[in-house]
């Protein structure tokens, strides 16, 4: 169509030129121009026409060149944008149209693509800028801002040349990695900050100043300031935590020492519950692990100073009351020794202690410590003697039952139908069984005591007397008692035999004093619905009464006269039933008269 249009234009131009030449020739003819002039003017006219055509051709050529240059620039820009954005599917339709399309058509088809890619590049640049800004900010928090800025300046040029999706994905992946690392670091920093906050609370320190010394961003005073989570910050927090834990351990040891002194002084001074409650917060740390101590200010310097001041106050009060404390501890020692039947050390007796303190020869604190050591020693010895003392208690209980049974057997009314008689009868049966076990109980106790003495390489003393000696004396006294009982039974049988003979010879005559010496006051007491057993008592050793069995209780308070007491044991008959004077006369008359002699009335 272009060729047809140009040909039509040439035909019209040729026709017009021919007509004009004819008109020009007619004018020249009318003027009378010569042929030479006509040829000259025609040549000039042709030259002028060629110059016009040549000028137009040159202009058209320049225009074409400019179009070529513009299209090439657009194509180059398009290629650059495609390479930068990583787009490869847009260039193919341009190549297919390159041969058949005119320059204007090519330019018209390329220009929208270039504009579209420019917009896409601007959007892609914004995405890159946003990702890089986040990377820069997070990297600055993690690694420090100075080193990150230098590295970003180097990579900026390369990033503008490559705006592809691949490059953007790499940045986004790097951003997600940094975000994950930031989250982990931030969590670790928060844990460290919380631990510092807890330690500062326990120690009574300023939390803001403590974390501010590590990094100002950790205090959180500025909202727009991001928390620094760099390695230096983490190392600073870890070092701070170690220092705080070391300080906590030091203060705990110091406070425990102060609390131990407080407890010691409280116990010595008998401090009231109200005084102790004032320091309940610090006394609760005794026996508590370091990690479990979370009460705010419990390890502060103010609290330690307050406890130390209380120790100083009690120490001054203790010095003024030391003599009273020494007597109190001595009484405690004597009570322990009394309960365990151990002889207390006489070097710290109340009289001696008072004289030593008044004279100033001994420091009361040293004397008090000596008594406390004796208390510990007495408790340890009581613990080692426990197995033997338990057997002693069982033996003494059996002896009490034996004494009760002796009294019960001497009661003529024990078989009466009174209230509680059946209870006493049952107890008597149990007592007889217990009394029958006493010999074996004593032998076992002697063997156990000898074993203890072999192990400890010392005598087992009971209220200052060797227990084995007491047990041997008890066995000897028990044998004497049994012999006296047999002698009494023989005398009773003889007396009954003489009485029967007298009654057979002279008739029955009641004795005015019969059985009076055997009868004793009944010691049973009624309690409630029945009669309760009497409290066992030991028989006193005196003329005409049953000899006392020497149990450890009967030795109490007789250490100095121990052998004298043993000599006081006699083998005189136990006068359970006194023989009346009348019966004695009758027995003598029977023995001294002839069988056939009449009786004297």
């Amino acid at each position: 169509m272009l060729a047809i249009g140009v040909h039509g234009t040439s035909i019209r131009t040729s026709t017009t030129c021919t007509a004009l030449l004819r008109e020009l020739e007619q004018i020249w003819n009318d003027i009378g121009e010569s042929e030479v002039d006509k040829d000259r003017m025609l040549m000039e006219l042709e030259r002028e026409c060629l110059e016009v055509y040549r000028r137009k051709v040159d202009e058209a050529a320049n225009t074409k060149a400019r179009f070529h240059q513009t299209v090439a620039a657009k194509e180059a820009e398009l290629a650059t944008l495609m390479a930068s954005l990583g787009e490869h599917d847009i260039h193919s339709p341009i190549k297919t149209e390159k041969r058949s399309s005119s320059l204007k058509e090519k330019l018209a088809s390329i220009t929208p693509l270039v504009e579209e890619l420019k917009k896409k590049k601007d959007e892609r640049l914004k995405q890159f800028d946003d990702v890089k800004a986040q990377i820069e900010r997070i990297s600055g928090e993690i690694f420090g801002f100075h080193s990150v800025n230098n590295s970003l300046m180097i990579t900026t040029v390369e990033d503008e040349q490559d705006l592809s999706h691949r490059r953007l994905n790499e940045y986004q992946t790097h951003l997600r990695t940094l975000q994950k690392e930031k989250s982990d670091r931030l969590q670790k920093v928060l844990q460290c900050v919380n631990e510092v906050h807890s330690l500062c609370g326990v120690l009574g320190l300023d939390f803001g100043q403590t974390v501010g010394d590590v990094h100002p961003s950790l205090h959180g005073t500025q909202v727009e300031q991001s928390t620094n989570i760099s390695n230096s910050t983490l190392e600073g927090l870890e070092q701070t935590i170690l220092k705080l834990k070391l300080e906590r351990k030091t203060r705990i040891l110091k406070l425990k020492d102060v609390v131990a002194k407080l407890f010691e002084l409280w116990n010595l001074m008998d401090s009231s519950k109200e005084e102790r409650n004032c320091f309940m917060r610090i006394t609760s740390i005794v026996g508590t692990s370091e990690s479990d101590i979370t009460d705010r200010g419990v390890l502060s310097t103010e609290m330690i100073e307050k406890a130390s001041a209380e120790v100083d106050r009690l120490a001054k009060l203790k010095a003024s009351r030391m003599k009273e404390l020494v007597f109190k501890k001595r009484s405690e020692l004597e009570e322990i020794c009394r309960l365990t039947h151990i002889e207390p050390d006489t070097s710290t007796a109340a009289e001696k202690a008072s004289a030593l303190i008044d004279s100033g020869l001994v420091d009361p604190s040293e004397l008090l410590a000596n008594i406390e050591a004796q208390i510990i020693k007495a408790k340890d010895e009581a613990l080692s003697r426990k197995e033997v003392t338990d057997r002693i208690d069982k033996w003494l209980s059996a002896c009490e039952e034996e004494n009760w049974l002796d009294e019960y057997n001497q009661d003529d009314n024990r078989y009466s139908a009174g209230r509680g008689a059946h209870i006493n009868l049952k107890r008597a049966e149990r007592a007889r069984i217990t009394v029958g076990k006493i010999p074996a109980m004593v032998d076992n106790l002697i063997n156990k005591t000898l074993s203890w003495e072999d192990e400890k390489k010392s005598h087992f003393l009971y209220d200052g007397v060797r227990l084995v000696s007491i047990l041997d004396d008890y066995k000897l006294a028990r044998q004497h008692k049994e012999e006296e009982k047999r002698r009494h039974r023989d005398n009773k049988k003889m007396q009954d035999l003489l009485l029967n003979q007298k009654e057979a010879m002279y008739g029955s005559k009641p004795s005015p004093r019969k059985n009076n010496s055997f009868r004793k006051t009944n010691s049973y007491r009624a309690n409630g619905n029945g009669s309760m057993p009497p409290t066992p008592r030991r028989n006193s050793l005196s003329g005409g009464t049953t000899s006392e069995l020497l149990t450890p209780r009967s030795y109490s308070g007789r250490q100095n006269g121990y052998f004298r007491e043993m000599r006081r044991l006699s083998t005189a008959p136990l006068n359970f039933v006194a023989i009346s004077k009348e019966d004695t006369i009758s027995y003598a008359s029977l023995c001294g008269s002839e069988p056939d002699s009449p009786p004297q009335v």
Side-chain angles (χ1 to χ4, degrees):
M1 293 180 66
L2 182 60
I4 294 174
V6 173
H7 180 68
T9 302
S10 299
I11 292 173
R12 288 194 299 272
T13 302
S14 177
T15 302
T16 302
C17 287
T18 301
L20 290 175
L21 285 175
R22 287 177 182 174
E23 186 177 357
L24 183 59
E25 287 178 354
Q26 183 63 36
I27 292 172
W28 284 342
N29 291 327
D30 292 338
I31 293 175
E33 293 287 344
S34 64
E35 291 296 328
V36 176
D37 293 333
K38 289 181 181 179
D39 292 336
R40 180 181 55 79
M41 286 188 289
L42 285 174
M43 289 180 65
E44 290 178 358
L45 181 61
E46 287 179 359
R47 187 172 61 252
E48 290 177 0
C49 288
L50 288 175
E51 289 179 356
V52 171
Y53 273 102
R54 186 171 300 278
R55 187 173 64 251
K56 292 297 182 181
V57 170
D58 291 339
E59 290 178 357
N62 291 333
T63 302
K64 179 180 178 181
R66 287 195 299 272
F67 269 103
H68 270 295
Q69 186 177 2
T70 302
V71 170
K74 290 291 183 180
E75 287 180 348
E77 184 178 4
L78 179 63
T80 302
L81 290 172
M82 291 174 62
S84 175
L85 297 174
E87 301 288 348
H88 300 288
D89 54 346
I90 301 178
H91 195 60
S92 56
I94 297 176
K95 290 183 178 180
T96 56
E97 295 178 1
K98 189 174 182 180
R99 298 177 181 177
S100 58
S101 299
S102 63
L103 293 177
K104 287 186 176 182
E105 290 176 349
K106 290 180 181 179
L107 183 62
S109 62
I110 291 176
T111 300
L113 293 177
V114 171
E115 296 298 327
E116 181 181 354
L117 290 180
K118 283 183 177 180
K119 293 180 180 179
K120 186 178 290 188
K121 179 180 179 181
D122 293 338
E123 294 177 358
R124 190 71 56 81
L125 281 174
K126 291 180 180 180
Q127 293 178 351
F128 271 90
D129 291 339
D130 181 52
V131 173
K132 286 191 294 183
Q134 296 184 54
I135 292 175
E136 180 181 358
R137 178 174 54 82
I138 297 176
S139 299
E141 295 174 357
I142 296 176
F143 306 107
F145 291 95
H146 299 291
S147 59
V148 174
N149 289 334
N150 294 334
S151 61
L152 287 177
M153 290 176 63
I154 298 174
T155 58
T156 301
V157 179
E158 298 178 357
D159 293 340
E160 290 182 356
Q161 294 177 356
D162 187 358
L163 300 176
S164 63
H165 278 290
R166 177 187 61 79
R167 186 65 174 172
L168 181 61
N169 290 334
E170 290 178 358
Y171 270 89
Q172 290 174 343
T173 302
H174 183 50
L175 176 61
R176 286 191 293 269
T177 302
L178 291 176
Q179 289 174 341
K180 177 65 170 56
E181 184 175 357
K182 175 185 176 180
S183 177
D184 295 341
R185 284 173 174 262
L186 187 60
Q187 185 177 1
K188 189 173 181 179
V189 167
L190 291 178
Q191 290 177 353
C192 293
V193 169
N194 290 334
E195 189 170 1
V196 171
H197 184 270
S198 177
L199 290 171
C200 288
V202 172
L203 297 173
L205 301 177
D206 186 358
F207 167 71
Q209 181 179 356
T210 303
V211 295
D213 293 340
V214 178
H215 196 277
S217 65
L218 299 177
H219 194 201
T221 55
Q222 299 179 1
V223 179
E224 67 277 3
Q225 184 180 11
S226 58
T227 302
N228 187 280
I229 54 177
S230 62
N231 292 333
S232 60
T233 301
L234 287 173
E235 291 175 0
L237 286 173
E238 291 173 355
Q239 292 295 327
T240 302
I241 290 173
L242 290 177
K243 292 179 181 179
L244 292 176
K245 286 184 176 180
L246 182 61
E247 180 66 19
R248 180 180 66 178
K249 186 174 183 179
T250 303
R251 293 192 183 184
I252 287 176
L253 293 176
K254 184 176 181 180
L255 193 57
K256 283 186 176 180
D257 182 55
V258 174
V259 169
K261 293 178 180 178
L262 272 180
F263 276 117
E264 180 183 357
L265 291 170
W266 282 339
N267 295 331
L268 290 175
M269 307 297 293
D270 284 335
S271 298
S272 63
K273 187 177 181 181
E274 290 75 15
E275 293 180 358
R276 302 188 183 197
N277 288 340
C278 295
F279 296 91
M280 185 177 295
R281 289 183 64 196
I282 61 173
T283 55
S284 62
I285 70 170
V286 178
T288 305
S289 61
E290 294 183 13
S291 58
D292 293 336
I293 300 175
T294 56
D295 194 5
R296 287 188 63 84
V298 71
L299 297 179
S300 63
T301 55
E302 293 80 5
M303 187 66 69
I304 297 176
E305 290 174 357
K306 181 180 178 181
S308 300
E310 179 67 10
V311 170
D312 295 338
R313 185 186 71 84
L314 292 176
K316 294 178 181 178
L317 186 61
K318 170 187 172 183
S320 62
R321 296 178 54 188
M322 185 58 69
K323 190 173 182 179
E324 179 183 348
L325 294 174
V326 168
F327 291 159
K328 178 184 175 183
K329 283 296 180 180
R330 176 64 188 185
S331 299
E332 181 181 350
L333 173 63
E334 291 176 352
E335 180 65 16
I336 294 173
C337 293
R338 185 188 66 80
L339 295 176
T340 55
H341 300 277
I342 301 173
E343 286 297 304
D345 190 351
T346 58
S347 63
T348 57
E351 298 79 6
K352 293 184 179 180
S354 178
L356 290 173
I357 293 175
D358 293 339
S359 64
L361 298 175
V362 176
D363 184 5
S365 300
E366 295 180 1
L367 187 58
L368 189 63
N370 187 12
I371 296 176
E372 290 176 348
Q374 293 176 13
I375 290 175
I376 295 174
K377 182 180 179 181
K379 289 181 178 179
D380 293 340
E381 186 173 354
L383 186 61
S384 68
R385 291 160 55 100
K386 188 176 185 306
E387 188 173 0
V388 178
T389 54
D390 289 344
R391 294 174 182 265
I392 293 175
D393 292 338
K394 293 180 181 179
W395 169 51
L396 293 176
S397 177
C399 291
E400 296 289 347
E401 289 295 302
E402 184 180 21
N403 292 334
W404 179 88
L405 184 61
D406 290 341
E407 293 183 2
Y408 178 78
N409 289 333
Q410 295 175 25
D411 185 10
D412 292 338
N413 297 324
R414 61 183 180 276
Y415 298 119
S416 63
R419 295 178 60 186
H422 65 288
I423 296 177
N424 292 327
L425 184 60
K426 289 182 179 179
R427 179 179 176 182
E429 293 176 359
R430 293 193 299 269
R432 291 189 185 97
I433 296 174
T434 303
V435 170
K437 298 178 181 178
I438 288 179
M441 196 179 298
V442 173
D443 292 336
N444 290 335
L445 182 55
I446 291 175
N447 294 332
K448 193 66 181 178
T449 305
L450 292 175
S451 299
W452 186 93
E453 291 180 347
D454 292 339
E455 181 181 353
K456 301 296 181 180
K457 306 301 180 183
S458 62
H459 293 315
F460 189 100
L461 300 181
Y462 194 92
D463 290 333
V465 183
R466 187 183 179 192
L467 181 60
V468 175
S469 300
I470 297 176
L471 295 173
D472 291 337
D473 294 340
Y474 173 81
K475 292 176 66 176
L476 182 60
R478 187 176 181 82
Q479 291 175 3
H480 289 319
K481 182 179 178 181
E482 295 296 332
E483 291 175 1
E484 294 301 328
K485 285 184 178 181
R486 286 194 299 270
R487 197 177 294 119
H488 163 68
R489 286 194 296 269
D490 294 341
N491 291 337
K492 185 67 169 61
K493 289 179 181 180
M494 181 62 69
Q495 185 180 3
D496 292 341
L497 178 61
L498 294 175
L499 184 60
N500 291 335
Q501 291 177 358
K502 181 179 179 181
E503 289 178 355
M505 294 175 63
Y506 304 103
S508 176
K509 182 179 181 180
S511 175
R513 297 176 61 189
K514 185 177 181 180
N515 294 332
N516 287 342
S517 63
F518 185 78
R519 187 171 302 174
K520 290 187 178 181
T521 303
N522 189 4
S523 60
Y524 299 88
R525 297 289 183 271
N527 184 10
N529 298 328
S531 174
M532 295 301 293
T535 303
R537 62 178 178 83
R538 293 182 293 275
N539 298 327
S540 60
L541 187 61
S542 62
T545 58
T546 307
S547 62
E548 179 186 10
L549 292 181
L550 299 178
T551 63
R553 291 176 182 172
S554 65
Y555 276 85
S556 301
R558 304 184 191 174
Q559 292 88 339
N560 296 331
Y562 164 65
F563 292 103
R564 184 168 62 254
E565 180 69 20
M566 286 304 303
R567 287 194 297 269
R568 196 162 64 86
L569 279 174
S570 64
T571 57
L574 296 177
N575 195 7
F576 284 93
V577 180
I579 303 174
S580 64
K581 183 177 181 181
E582 183 182 359
D583 293 339
T584 305
I585 297 174
S586 300
Y587 174 75
S589 63
L590 287 173
C591 294
S593 61
E594 295 293 331
D596 296 335
S597 62
Q600 298 178 1
V601 181

